[in-house]
Amino acid sequence: MMDFRTIFPLVLLPSCLFAAVNLNVSLGDSIKPVTHVATGSLYGLTETLPSNIEKDVAPLKPNVFLSPARSGSGRQQGIGGAFLVAPRVESLGAKIQIRLADVLPGWPYKFQNMDHWKNEVKSVIQDKLASNNKNFDGYEIWNEPNDTWKSNIDFNSGLWKQTYDLIRQMDPGAKIIGPSYSFYHASKMEEFVKYCSQNNCMPDVVSWHQWGSGGFVGSVETYRNLEKKYNVSPRPLSINEYSSTEHSEEGCPGVSVPFIAKFERHGVESAMISWWFVPLPGRLGSLLTSNNERGGGWWLYKWYGDMSGYMAKVTPPNDKSDGVDGFAALDKKKGFASIVLGGNTKGEISVNISGIPEAFGNKVNVDVEYVVWENKDKAVPSTTPVSSKEYDVNGGKITVPVNITNTKYGYHINITPIIPQAPYKDVAAAIPGKIEVENYDVGGSGKAYLDKDDDNKGGEYREDAVDIVKAGEGYAIGYTQEGEWLEYTVDVAAAGDYNLSVSYATSSENTGIKLYVDDKVVKDDIVFPQGADWETYTTFEAGKVNLSAGKHVLKLEIVGNYVNIDWLNFADPADTATTRLVDMQPLHLNADERGYDVFGMDGQFVCHIEGVQAQGGIKAALAAKGVNPGVYMVRDIASRRSVKVNTVR
């Protein structure tokens, strides 16, 4: 956290101000899966801040936060200890890197002796092993030893080696992170790597702090050469503090873009925005203002958090500068590409985009927006749209001009295919008839379906984000969550009331579906009885649905969580006639070979009757089952035909 410009001057020249430059994006070249490597911060969480984790933290898809091992009286930090903040973000998938040095007070740290230090470290490790939380990233042994290690004990052979061995003994599977120099200190890093390679104590993840993005790539190259020189296998990197050389620009969108771009490009595993403003922990590295409002930087990291699929190759004009740069992601399943750009360059940028998937078609929609930034404490309520245009795709390529008017701003390009919603395999589902739910319309996410996760968790049938599972010899939708939906183009033969039945499986309570036609509710919440599991499918009689003739869009929305749906059947009222049957062999079928499901007129399942049980007639069979006299729907399982049976008469 030191300002090392007092040690040596660093001159970063802006790149070609106002000159037209090219930023090349190759969507066809995957460099790695999306992991949001740079969405962390140093002391960005406390026990109480940010106050609304779901609102202000979850949308950023946080990766790793760096937190003090202990906080409170006698510690380096008063609040925000690792074991206090880990529970707040575990459900988000965010991890906590434990800064061991912060068990000590003062700056530089007031180190007493090795025995005291080891006892403190043992206590932290024991708490970590006993914790119910499992979202700990690893142990950072020390912080900025080039400035804060003031003991006459040698850092490498004393503090580092002995602590390393202690962690390996007590928590052998844990990740060890270091040396966390306050900047890339070339001579000290070589001493460190040489010693560790010769004494079996090389960290699992190599870390240092980075001030200004322009020198980062050169530092990576220098470090990788050390690995080769001392026969060290390549290590992932943690840049566990990063910011502009101007600390007041912490979290600034235009400053952050080149950092994130280079981190994604050059093997960084985690990166945390710095913390220069001591009275203000819990602000996500100044993405939130001092009043805990969203600043301009928050929106930039929201664009980053919205990325899914894989990170695509981006080639800037100069990777070893803080000039214009960008990072990009392509999600083929969700059907979008996202590109974020910015940096110390003003003027028009030609963003040359190649590798647009064939599935996107020959036309795409391109939305361009930007986010402003004045200072870290200036709230920014939203991003600002620039344009929304259709582009013709030629050979998988388009060029999008972006005018950077302010080097502190961030810019965003979002590309989506222009694919009209249409029936699956170009055939509308016929009503009356059965609709297999996996045959939802084409058109992509937000048009034909909404699924809350990125992948087809069942891995069956179709290649998009809808979760499809095997169901008998066919398929069903599974892993469903409240509010997800699917749409179907249907062709209704004639207006009327149709009897709806649904094949479902669930072990959850209070789950079901809701149906819309042309965005109007036609069947409010249908809640299914809880079943045994998600493999045993049951037919539920859901009552009548009134439909008008012609083509419509039917929408199936999930109510509750975790119900599998196999099919919907809309039966012609004429086929499920209200024939008055008092006591006869159902449907005049051979009872020895048939089974029947019995439902109340409210659609609730009553019982199952085997064919042999029905030989004496339905009335007798129901009486034998202890079913009260009344009117019931009896369905022949084999033919799926139903009749209404009055057992009172």
Side-chain angles (χ1 to χ4, degrees):
M1 293 182 293
M2 67 166 294
D3 187 347
F4 67 91
R5 292 171 297 165
T6 60
I7 299 175
F8 56 85
L10 179 65
V11 178
L12 294 176
L13 297 177
S15 64
C16 303
L17 296 182
F18 299 99
V21 295
N22 293 303
L23 183 71
N24 297 321
V25 179
S26 180
L27 295 177
D29 290 328
S30 169
I31 60 173
K32 59 184 290 296
V34 169
T35 56
H36 308 107
V37 301
T39 52
S41 50
L42 169 65
Y43 309 150
L45 299 173
T46 72
E47 297 90 324
T48 58
L49 295 175
S51 58
N52 192 325
I53 294 292
E54 285 299 318
K55 173 177 172 285
D56 290 326
V57 182
L60 309 185
K61 306 293 194 304
N63 180 25
V64 182
F65 293 97
L66 181 53
S67 300
R70 300 271 191 237
S71 59
S73 178
R75 310 296 184 182
Q76 217 279 326
Q77 296 299 317
I79 55 177
F83 301 105
L84 302 175
V85 301
R88 301 194 71 206
V89 293
E90 185 170 23
S91 65
L92 307 182
K95 300 181 288 293
I96 303 298
Q97 193 175 111
I98 301 171
R99 175 165 279 180
L100 290 176
D102 283 355
V103 298
L104 302 178
W107 188 259
Y109 297 106
K110 290 182 171 60
F111 178 82
Q112 296 182 27
N113 55 62
M114 285 303 300
D115 288 340
H116 173 265
W117 168 254
K118 286 183 179 180
N119 286 334
E120 291 282 6
V121 172
K122 286 178 184 178
S123 174
V124 172
I125 296 173
Q126 288 166 351
D127 281 1
K128 186 253 191 182
L129 294 174
S131 175
N132 291 325
N133 302 109
K134 305 305 177 187
N135 59 323
F136 295 104
D137 179 58
Y139 303 98
E140 182 206 49
I141 289 180
W142 199 262
N143 172 39
E144 301 187 345
N146 54 303
D147 297 313
T148 65
W149 182 247
K150 301 300 183 181
S151 172
N152 57 7
I153 300 172
D154 178 67
F155 176 79
N156 292 338
S157 61
L159 188 285
W160 178 267
K161 171 64 174 169
Q162 292 186 49
T163 310
Y164 181 99
D165 291 344
L166 178 61
I167 296 171
R168 283 285 181 259
Q169 177 188 353
M170 293 185 65
D171 194 1
K175 187 187 298 180
I176 296 176
I177 303 153
S180 295
Y181 293 133
S182 61
F183 59 96
Y184 188 85
H185 197 303
S187 62
K188 285 190 174 294
M189 185 67 84
E190 179 158 11
E191 291 173 7
F192 178 80
V193 173
K194 180 180 180 181
Y195 176 85
C196 292
S197 66
Q198 294 173 349
N199 292 276
N200 193 30
C201 58
M202 191 70 193
D204 302 294
V205 178
V206 170
S207 60
W208 69 85
H209 303 163
Q210 187 69 39
W211 313 117
S213 59
F216 174 69
V217 175
S219 297
V220 173
E221 292 173 346
T222 302
Y223 169 70
R224 295 301 183 201
N225 287 333
L226 290 180
E227 289 180 329
K228 295 174 184 176
K229 181 176 180 179
Y230 294 106
N231 197 29
V232 173
S233 59
R235 269 21 185 196
L237 306 176
S238 180
I239 306 303
N240 47 16
E241 294 186 33
Y242 73 92
S243 182
S244 168
T245 54
E246 296 294 334
H247 305 145
S248 60
E249 294 178 351
E250 186 176 87
C252 170
V255 171
S256 294
V257 171
F259 273 115
I260 298 171
K262 297 174 201 311
F263 293 162
E264 291 285 352
R265 196 178 297 134
H266 293 286
V268 171
E269 178 182 86
S270 62
M272 296 75 154
I273 306 170
S274 60
W275 175 71
W276 283 103
F277 301 96
V278 175
L280 299 173
R283 268 69 173 188
L284 305 177
S286 294
L287 302 186
L288 301 179
T289 71
S290 57
N291 292 326
N292 299 293
E293 300 171 291
R294 294 174 178 178
W298 190 92
W299 295 100
L300 177 93
Y301 282 81
K302 171 65 163 57
W303 292 336
Y304 189 23
D306 286 340
M307 289 182 169
S308 56
Y310 65 73
M311 299 303 294
K313 181 180 179 182
V314 177
T315 304
N318 183 358
D319 199 17
K320 294 184 177 180
S321 81
D322 65 349
V324 67
D325 207 336
F327 52 96
L330 173 68
D331 192 322
K332 293 181 180 179
K333 292 181 178 180
K334 286 191 171 180
F336 76 92
S338 177
I339 303 164
V340 177
L341 65 150
N344 194 19
T345 303
K346 255 188 178 181
E348 185 169 298
I349 311 298
S350 293
V351 184
N352 304 311
I353 305 163
S354 62
I356 297 174
E358 289 185 8
F360 279 32
N362 57 12
K363 280 185 178 293
V364 293
N365 191 76
V366 177
D367 295 308
V368 179
E369 59 184 328
Y370 67 93
V371 63
V372 302
W373 190 89
E374 186 176 323
N375 60 63
K376 71 177 187 64
D377 291 322
K378 179 74 171 181
V380 177
S382 65
T383 62
T384 303
V386 175
S387 62
S388 182
K389 298 179 182 178
E390 290 186 8
Y391 279 71
D392 293 322
V393 179
N394 296 306
K397 299 179 180 179
I398 61 173
T399 295
V400 179
V402 175
N403 184 27
I404 294 181
T405 61
N406 190 312
T407 59
K408 302 298 187 290
Y409 295 178
Y411 295 78
H412 180 220
I413 300 170
N414 197 63
I415 302 172
T416 52
I418 302 175
I419 300 175
Q421 185 171 342
Y424 185 61
K425 295 184 177 179
D426 296 322
V427 178
I431 294 180
K434 181 187 290 185
I435 299 175
E436 296 287 349
V437 294
E438 67 271 18
N439 292 334
Y440 50 88
D441 284 358
V442 300
S445 178
K447 289 184 181 179
Y449 68 83
L450 176 67
D451 196 286
K452 293 186 178 180
D453 55 66
D454 297 343
D455 299 316
N456 177 351
K457 289 183 177 178
E460 301 290 343
Y461 194 62
R462 295 175 70 169
E463 295 184 356
D464 53 31
V466 176
D467 305 312
I468 300 178
V469 299
K470 283 189 176 296
E473 296 181 358
Y475 303 97
I477 60 166
Y479 301 97
T480 56
Q481 297 182 59
E482 174 93 33
E484 293 182 339
W485 51 262
L486 302 153
E487 290 192 341
Y488 307 82
T489 300
V490 297
D491 193 352
V492 182
D497 290 331
Y498 289 82
N499 292 318
L500 172 65
S501 55
V502 185
S503 177
Y504 78 96
T506 186
S507 187
S508 300
E509 296 180 344
N510 301 316
T511 62
I513 61 173
K514 185 175 185 177
L515 297 182
Y516 304 74
V517 171
D518 300 333
D519 290 327
K520 294 182 179 179
V521 176
V522 295
K523 197 70 176 175
D524 219 330
D525 293 5
I526 303 168
V527 179
F528 301 128
Q530 183 179 12
D533 51 45
W534 286 272
E535 286 77 43
T536 304
Y537 286 81
T538 301
T539 300
F540 181 82
E541 297 296 331
K544 296 185 183 299
V545 179
N546 184 266
L547 302 174
S548 57
K551 285 195 174 181
H552 304 278
V553 174
L554 171 73
K555 179 178 179 179
L556 182 160
E557 181 180 311
I558 299 299
V559 175
N561 292 310
Y562 304 118
V563 58
N564 292 9
I565 309 294
D566 186 358
W567 46 257
L568 309 176
N569 190 66
F570 294 86
D572 189 327
D575 290 339
T576 55
T578 57
T579 306
R580 293 181 179 178
L581 302 175
V582 178
D583 192 12
M584 58 181 291
Q585 297 289 355
L587 306 174
H588 303 288
L589 298 172
N590 184 345
D592 290 333
E593 300 176 358
R594 298 285 175 168
Y596 306 94
D597 285 333
V598 181
F599 300 87
M601 296 310 294
D602 59 357
Q604 297 292 319
F605 177 76
V606 175
C607 66
H608 175 78
I609 300 175
E610 294 294 336
V612 292
Q613 296 172 321
Q615 288 180 356
I618 288 294
K619 182 176 181 179
L622 290 176
K625 289 272 189 178
V627 176
N628 293 328
V631 180
Y632 299 94
M633 290 295 298
V634 179
R635 166 159 290 190
D636 175 1
I637 294 174
S639 69
R640 299 196 181 278
R641 289 174 60 85
S642 301
V643 293
K644 184 184 289 185
V645 174
N646 188 338
T647 64
V648 178
R649 300 181 182 188

